[in-house]
């Protein structure tokens, strides 16, 4: 099946700094990618839909200025957590769908904000 | 609107026994249905999907699921559980009524514990 990678897999940062997470589709092109956030023992919460060549679509309650998304190419989407705070600590997962919307997930990025 | 319900927060089963993880869904049109598994601190791994055709879908690692339209269910099953099957399982649905890459809705997840 298709492969989606994420980088970094784990990041620890100080409060107030910004962190960029990359999501890449390695062997297919993805005009759309999804960014999820997962809290401990909770389901995936869709944060936003990343659209290649246009603005991302954010879910209700997700701050656009806090979570910046850029879909620069057909294989790369980035999520930047700006001015991170401890409450932003979470597991962030991206996915890219095929034509049946079977979503191929990245391995996730564990963000810890001190 | 589409939704998914996984009524059991946790399922415990003895190794070698059959297992079932329940899932029901609600969509306006016809559903695409998926099961994913997640191991600790890992991303989701695809197990199987129902798009159309045979109601019994076979997937990875010996898992299967049966699409039941009348009961709007898509329960995940395995004839003989392994300790290594212990993980978090997510059911997901996408409504096919609208075109394009419509978002997939996930259930809250069911923790499967297989006891040696």
């Amino acid at each position: 099946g298709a492969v989606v990678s994420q980088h970094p897999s784990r990041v620890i940062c100080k409060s107030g700094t910004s962190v960029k997470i990359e999501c890449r589709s390695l062997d297919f092109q993805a005009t759309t990618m999804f960014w999820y956030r997962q809290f401990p023992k909770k389901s995936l919460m869709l944060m936003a839909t990343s659209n290649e060549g246009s603005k991302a679509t954010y879910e209700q309650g997700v701050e656009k200025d806090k979570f910046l998304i850029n879909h620069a190419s057909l294989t790369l989407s980035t999520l930047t957590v700006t001015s991170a705070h401890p409450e932003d600590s979470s597991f962030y997962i991206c996915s890219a769908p095929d034509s049946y919307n079977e979503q191929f997930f990245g391995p996730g990025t564990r963000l810890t904000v001190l | 609107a589409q939704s998914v319900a996984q009524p059991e927060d946790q399922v415990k089963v003895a190794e070698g026994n059959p297992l079932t993880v329940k899932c029901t869904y609600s969509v306006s049109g016809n559903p695409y249905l998926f099961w994913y598994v997640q191991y600790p601190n890992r991303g989701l791994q695809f197990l199987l999907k129902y798009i159309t055709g045979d109601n019994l879908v076979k997937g990875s690692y010996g898992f299967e699921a049966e699409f039941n339209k009348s009961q709007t269910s898509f329960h995940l099953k395995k004839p003989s559980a392994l300790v290594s099957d212990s993980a978090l399982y997510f059911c997901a649905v996408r409504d096919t009524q609208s075109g394009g890459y419509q978002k997939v809705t996930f259930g809250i997840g069911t923790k499967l514990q297989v006891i040696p």
Side-chain angles (χ1 to χ4, degrees):
Chain A
V3 177
V4 174
S5 70
Q6 275 184 248
H7 177 80
S9 59
R10 185 181 296 267
V11 58
I12 301 173
C13 69
K14 293 181 179 180
S15 185
T17 60
S18 295
V19 174
K20 180 185 285 187
I21 303 170
E22 293 185 347
C23 178
R24 292 181 185 274
S25 56
L26 297 185
D27 51 2
F28 68 106
Q29 294 181 333
T31 56
T32 300
M33 291 184 177
F34 298 92
W35 285 97
Y36 295 86
R37 181 173 178 175
Q38 186 179 33
F39 295 95
K41 300 181 180 179
K42 296 288 186 181
S43 186
L44 295 138
M45 181 192 79
L46 179 65
M47 298 174 65
T49 303
S50 174
N51 304 299
E52 189 270 335
S54 64
K55 292 182 179 180
T57 305
Y58 289 81
E59 296 299 302
Q60 192 173 10
V62 178
E63 298 177 59
K64 300 179 183 181
D65 296 332
K66 175 75 172 176
F67 299 100
L68 300 178
I69 291 174
N70 182 29
H71 199 140
S73 74
L74 288 172
T75 60
L76 173 64
S77 174
T78 60
L79 168 68
T80 301
V81 183
T82 63
S83 187
H85 289 91
E87 57 266 29
D88 299 324
S89 298
S90 192
F91 195 53
Y92 293 87
I93 304 175
C94 71
S95 73
D98 66 8
S99 57
Y100 289 108
N101 210 20
E102 174 187 336
Q103 297 202 30
F104 297 93
F105 287 85
T109 297
R110 171 72 62 191
L111 171 63
T112 302
V113 184
L114 302 176
Chain B
Q2 59 192 36
S3 65
V4 176
Q6 291 182 245
E8 301 156 316
D9 185 52
Q10 184 169 342
V11 169
K12 290 184 180 180
V13 63
E15 186 176 25
N17 283 1
L19 70 87
T20 299
V21 183
K22 296 180 180 178
C23 172
T24 59
Y25 66 90
S26 175
V27 295
S28 300
N30 293 315
Y32 286 170
L33 293 156
F34 308 88
W35 275 101
Y36 292 88
V37 59
Q38 185 181 33
Y39 296 97
N41 292 314
R42 302 286 294 277
L44 271 66
Q45 295 178 31
F46 170 78
L47 278 180
L48 51 80
K49 66 183 177 185
Y50 171 81
I51 302 297
T52 186
D54 195 349
N55 289 344
L56 184 62
V57 178
K58 294 188 182 295
S60 306
Y61 313 118
F63 284 94
E64 59 187 29
E66 185 166 11
F67 171 61
N68 188 316
K69 188 172 184 177
S70 62
Q71 296 184 7
T72 61
S73 67
F74 191 57
H75 302 329
L76 180 70
K77 298 182 179 183
K78 187 172 182 180
S80 179
L82 300 173
V83 173
S84 58
D85 292 329
S86 299
L88 191 57
Y89 290 80
F90 290 98
C91 181
V93 67
R94 175 204 162 193
D95 193 336
T96 62
Q97 190 171 45
S98 301
Y101 286 130
Q102 294 296 313
K103 57 187 177 183
V104 171
T105 299
F106 286 84
I108 61 171
T110 297
K111 182 179 179 181
L112 173 66
Q113 184 178 359
V114 181
I115 302 166

